[in-house]
């Protein structure tokens, strides 16, 4: 049976990307060796790094003065590496959920952390607005898409200080004005590839300003100077990321995928709002286009397990909500086709017909 992969991460990848990865693992560029077993100091490999960087710059319109780095350790390591490189005295954080909290927790190891606003009072079902960002902080950290709670900051904000964003789960889902950010980071496995590689887009002029001495592996400047090959890079993850970006470019790039993502999200949110058995959990204007969270409506709480079984039988995968929200979460990342969303909607309609 056809599976519809709504998993929150690692994400669904295009079939053509998986085929290209399988081929390169068997025989890379027709050289008779696997991409896994060649030196990363060869021309063939360096061409992959160059192409991947060029695709990032082209697809996101990254201006001059920024470096694009491919590192290890996941977004979770960036929670520590960002303050290591940027926090001298104080940093400001916006508390919009689990990941934002984890980021702030690590920053506290390096200095003072000010939480400028939080939506914890309503279990992170909205994005705080109307707060003031302290001008004396070294940077302001935001999580643009809250993967667990399904809320999203849809616009590039103006910040009076260096803006740092964890874009793990909405990178390349919409055009971004990179010039408004000092640093953007994320794990690749939510929207641009598999786990194992982390992207960091950093404006060069913000580096080298902290008083502490940085270990080499923590220093963005060293990774920039070495073209993200200070040590052996995670080759297969980078290869698959490059293929994923090539696919994105081939279908029309970020503006086109944004259109598709909006269409997918509208289709599902419209059904959640129409169907009397389900209800969305997030403030309407802050709803994520990537992670769509909903629960059983009042009076239907006892049907949750039944719907889960029903959806599973129809081929839905990865729709169980995170334990801190409950209910359901359908992740509609770039590679998820609208046909899968339609299948989910049909499933919800049929369940309502049989049960409401
Ligand atoms: C998944 C996720 C992370 C953690 O990423 P890892 O690469 O597993 O460390 C951090 N932030 C956000 C917003 C995420 O969705």
């Amino acid at each position: 049976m056809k599976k519809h992969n709504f998993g929150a991460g690692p994400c669904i990848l295009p079939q053509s990307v998986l085929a290209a990865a399988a081929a390169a693992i068997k025989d890379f560029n027709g050289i008779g060796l696997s991409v896994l077993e060649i030196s990363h100091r060869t021309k063939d490999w360096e061409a992959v790094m160059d192409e991947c960087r060029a695709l990032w710059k082209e697809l996101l319109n990254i201006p001059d003065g920024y470096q694009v780095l491919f590192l290890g350790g996941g977004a979770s390591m960036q929670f520590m590496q960002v303050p290591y490189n940027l926090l001298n005295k104080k940093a400001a954080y916006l508390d919009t959920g689990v990941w934002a909290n984890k980021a702030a927790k690590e920053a506290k190891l390096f200095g003072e952390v000010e939480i400028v606003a939080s939506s914890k009072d309503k279990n992170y079902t909205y994005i705080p607005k109307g707060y003031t960002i302290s001008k004396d902080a070294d940077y302001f950290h935001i999580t643009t898409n809250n993967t667990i709670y399904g809320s999203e900051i849809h616009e590039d904000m103006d910040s009076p200080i260096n803006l740092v964003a964890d874009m793990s789960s909405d990178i390349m889902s919409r055009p971004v004005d990179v010039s408004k950010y000092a640093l953007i980071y994320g794990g690749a496995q939510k929207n641009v590839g598999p786990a194992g590689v982390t992207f960091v887009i950093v404006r060069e002029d913000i580096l080298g300003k902290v008083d502490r001495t940085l270990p080499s592996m923590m220093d963005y400047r060293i990774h920039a100077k070495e073209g993200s090959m200070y040590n052996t890079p995670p080759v297969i993850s980078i290869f698959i990321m490059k293929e994923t970006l090539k696919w994105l470019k081939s279908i029309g790039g970020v503006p086109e995928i944004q259109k598709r993502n909006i269409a997918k999200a509208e289709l599902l949110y419209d059904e959640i709002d129409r169907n009397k058995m389900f209800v969305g959990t997030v403030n309407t204007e802050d709803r994520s286009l990537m992670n769509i969270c909903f629960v059983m409506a009042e009076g239907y709480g006892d049907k949750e397990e039944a719907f889960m079984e029903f959806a599973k039988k129809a081929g839905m995968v990865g729709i169980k909500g995170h334990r801190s929200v409950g209910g359901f979460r359908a992740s509609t990342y770039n590679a998820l086709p609208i046909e899968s969303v339609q299948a989910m909607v049909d499933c919800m309609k049929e369940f309502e017909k049989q049960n409401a």
Side-chain angles (χ1 to χ4, degrees):
M1 187 205 349
K2 180 166 170 47
K3 299 280 186 192
H4 302 286
N5 186 357
F6 290 94
C11 67
I12 179 172
L13 292 168
Q15 285 298 319
S16 61
V17 169
L18 298 177
I25 285 177
K26 285 194 182 140
D27 184 0
F28 176 53
N29 279 0
I31 60 175
L33 294 170
S34 167
V35 68
L36 299 174
E37 56 186 3
I38 59 160
S39 163
H40 55 293
R41 306 291 176 195
T42 53
K43 279 215 164 52
D44 286 285
W45 177 254
E46 281 180 1
V48 173
M49 296 294 283
D50 290 343
E51 188 181 355
C52 194
R53 254 189 305 266
L55 282 163
W56 270 95
K57 287 185 184 164
E58 182 185 345
L59 288 165
L60 269 193
N61 269 318
I62 300 175
D64 289 343
Y66 285 80
Q67 290 283 346
V68 181
L69 311 178
F70 309 132
L71 309 178
S76 300
M77 198 165 88
Q78 293 310 307
F79 296 164
M80 166 266 282
Q81 195 165 359
V82 163
Y84 221 142
N85 280 266
L86 304 181
L87 203 172
N88 244 337
K89 264 194 80 184
K90 184 169 115 173
Y93 278 71
L94 186 64
D95 174 24
T96 52
V98 169
W99 297 116
N101 258 286
K102 287 193 174 174
K105 176 173 172 253
E106 299 302 299
K108 282 179 194 154
L109 299 169
F110 299 88
E112 189 190 330
V113 169
E114 181 187 332
I115 303 295
V116 299
S118 170
S119 47
K120 192 175 182 178
D121 58 338
K122 292 187 178 156
N123 199 32
Y124 298 113
T125 50
Y126 68 103
I127 299 289
K129 288 161 200 100
Y131 49 82
T132 315
I133 305 163
S134 316
K135 293 209 175 56
D136 62 341
D138 295 319
Y139 62 86
F140 177 45
H141 181 283
I142 59 172
T143 311
T144 50
N145 184 64
N146 299 285
T147 323
I148 290 175
Y149 296 94
S151 69
E152 185 173 11
I153 298 170
H154 294 289
E155 262 142 45
D156 303 311
M157 64 174 74
D158 293 303
S159 166
I161 57 175
N162 284 334
L163 184 62
V164 174
D166 174 356
M167 291 198 188
S168 291
S169 52
D170 63 349
I171 190 74
M172 297 279 180
S173 69
R174 64 169 177 93
V176 166
D177 181 354
V178 175
S179 71
K180 289 198 166 176
Y181 300 84
L183 191 151
I184 296 169
Y185 69 86
Q189 72 275 15
K190 305 280 167 60
N191 220 13
V192 288
V197 61
T198 312
F199 58 88
V200 175
I201 303 163
V202 57
R203 212 174 65 219
E204 286 158 81
D205 67 6
I206 67 167
L207 300 177
K209 304 274 168 69
V210 283
D211 300 329
R212 71 183 63 86
T213 306
L214 300 170
S216 306
M217 277 297 284
M218 283 297 106
D219 193 336
Y220 292 129
R221 290 170 304 175
I222 288 184
H223 290 291
K225 187 166 157 277
E226 301 293 334
S228 299
M229 294 214 286
Y230 172 71
N231 68 325
T232 319
V235 289
I236 194 62
S237 300
I238 292 174
F239 182 88
I240 298 174
M241 181 162 73
K242 187 238 346 168
E243 288 298 321
T244 307
L245 296 181
K246 256 171 75 180
W247 165 81
L248 181 55
K249 184 178 167 179
S250 77
I251 62 159
V254 178
E256 172 60 25
I257 205 74
Q258 181 188 34
K259 270 190 231 154
R260 296 186 190 186
N261 287 334
I262 290 172
K264 285 185 288 179
E266 274 179 358
L267 182 60
L268 187 47
Y269 281 124
D270 282 353
E271 176 59 17
I272 292 167
D273 292 341
R274 186 208 62 77
N275 194 312
K276 56 176 167 303
M277 296 191 75
F278 302 98
V279 60
T281 53
V282 172
N283 190 23
T284 310
E285 66 175 13
D286 301 322
R287 284 171 161 183
S288 168
L289 299 187
M290 296 279 100
N291 311 98
I292 298 176
C293 294
F294 55 102
V295 294
M296 301 309 299
E298 226 178 281
Y300 296 109
D302 60 336
K303 297 279 188 211
E304 183 169 320
E305 257 175 63
F307 179 69
M308 189 63 86
E309 272 312 301
F310 188 79
K312 219 188 219 165
K313 281 200 189 109
M316 308 302 147
V317 176
I319 61 163
K320 191 170 170 54
H322 189 271
R323 62 187 178 282
S324 46
V325 181
F328 308 96
R329 169 177 54 174
S331 298
T332 50
Y333 294 125
N334 285 357
L336 184 85
I338 196 161
E339 290 73 27
S340 288
V341 181
Q342 187 61 55
M344 180 73 182
V345 166
D346 293 344
C347 187
M348 292 162 77
K349 282 192 161 81
E350 185 57 32
F351 190 73
E352 181 190 35
K353 219 191 267 170
Q354 293 179 17
N355 293 276

